[in-house]
Amino acid sequence: MAVSDGAPPYHLRLMAHRIAVIGGDGIGPEVTTEALKVVRAAGVAIDATEFDLGGARYLRDGEILSDAILEELRGFDAILLGAVGTPEVPPGVIERGLLLKMRFDLDLYVNQRPFIGTGPGHTQPHDFVVIRENTEGPYVGEGGVLRKGTPHEVATQGSVNTRMGAERAIRYAFDLAVKRDGRKHVTLVHKTNVLTFAGDLWQRAFDAVAADYPGVGTAYNHVDAACIYFVQDPHRYDVIVTDNLFGDILTDLGGAVSGGIGLASSANLNPARTGPSMFEPVHGSAPDIVGTGKANPVAAILSAALMLDFLAEFAAADRIRAACDQPGPGTTTQIGDIIAARVAG
């Protein structure tokens, strides 16, 4: 099921971080190869084990993510994922069976996505981060359908929110605001004027947590207003915290105003460290450019830098982020080589 990739000699393994690598589909294996190259160039000892999972594996033998493989993944320090999904697999099969299953079963309840860049029409760079609650909302699969295929079909899809789920994501956002070099400010994004039950729960949890952080400023934006501000005035933000669905949408927009989705990195975190956290670029598998050398590996490399932060390899992570600044044109491999050379130098 798993194939060791570049493992160090046995006497060095106690010092190496054990990384599960899911290259996945499309350009996923290409960009994860470059990410691992850069991590090693930064001098970080890793013992990487590859797992063959994704749409292609599902089409071959029906495997998505068995309980046995999930249990094996629990033994790693972190998971680096490239991208999953193929056009031949119906939507939702891999997403729910692999990505969401890992988020739920490994309790990856924080999705952290940083955005640094200069958006279209701006000269001043912005630097903000979105904290998305990662295990609740519509993603839990609540809902159903009645009279399917008839003119009277009814479909429901509810948003499941718990006080514990909202509060722990909010508290993580406040802790992050305290640690960052930013303005020490947290903005709650929701839709409290329409989603009066879920929104009220989130607002009350936010207010209760904010009381524990008197040195951190706060604000609230409706999600539609936040979409406008992301485009017109992203500099107003430091840390944003929001629910699962709004966070999914907002972070794609964040990538678009920060240089493109090909540069957007993410971390799916279990802050309690009861299991491994997972790190992945925001972009998809892009099957149309597989093998052409056109895939930009920067998002995967920056995701690996987030992984190193999680593993307390802070100096290496900072060097990688600095090296990713304007690497120049080139193929997937060439860009990886340029960044690796900068990091090693």
Side-chain angles (χ1 to χ4, degrees), residues 7-8 11 27 42 47 53 70 90 102 108 113 122 142 182 206-207 214-215 223 278 337:
H11 68 284
I27 63 171
D47 181 356
L53 297 170
L70 182 63
M102 283 197 288
L108 308 178
R113 296 186 179 181
H122 297 282
E142 187 275 342
F206 184 83
D207 293 342
V223 65
M278 180 179 71
D337 288 342

Side-chain angles (χ1 to χ4, degrees), residues 215-241:
V216 178
T218 62
Y220 170 80
N221 290 163
H222 289 324
V223 65
D224 42 351
C227 289
I228 295 171
Y229 297 145
F230 266 43
V231 176
Q232 293 184 344
D233 185 23
H235 316 94
R236 68 170 55 212
Y237 294 118
D238 180 19
V239 177
I240 294 168
V241 63

Side-chain angles (χ1 to χ4, degrees), residues 92-151:
V93 173
I94 302 301
E95 291 83 356
R96 297 206 67 85
L98 178 60
L99 297 179
L100 294 186
K101 184 173 182 178
M102 283 197 288
R103 290 178 189 174
F104 296 150
D105 288 15
L106 299 177
D107 203 20
L108 308 178
Y109 65 85
V110 164
N111 185 278
Q112 179 172 328
R113 296 186 179 181
F115 298 102
I116 302 172
T118 303
H122 297 282
T123 57
Q124 176 188 354
H126 57 258
D127 180 352
F128 65 91
V129 60
V130 176
I131 300 303
R132 163 190 173 190
E133 197 290 316
N134 211 30
T135 60
E136 296 187 351
Y139 291 78
V140 301
E142 187 275 342
V145 62
L146 296 173
R147 299 189 291 272
K148 187 173 183 179
T150 75

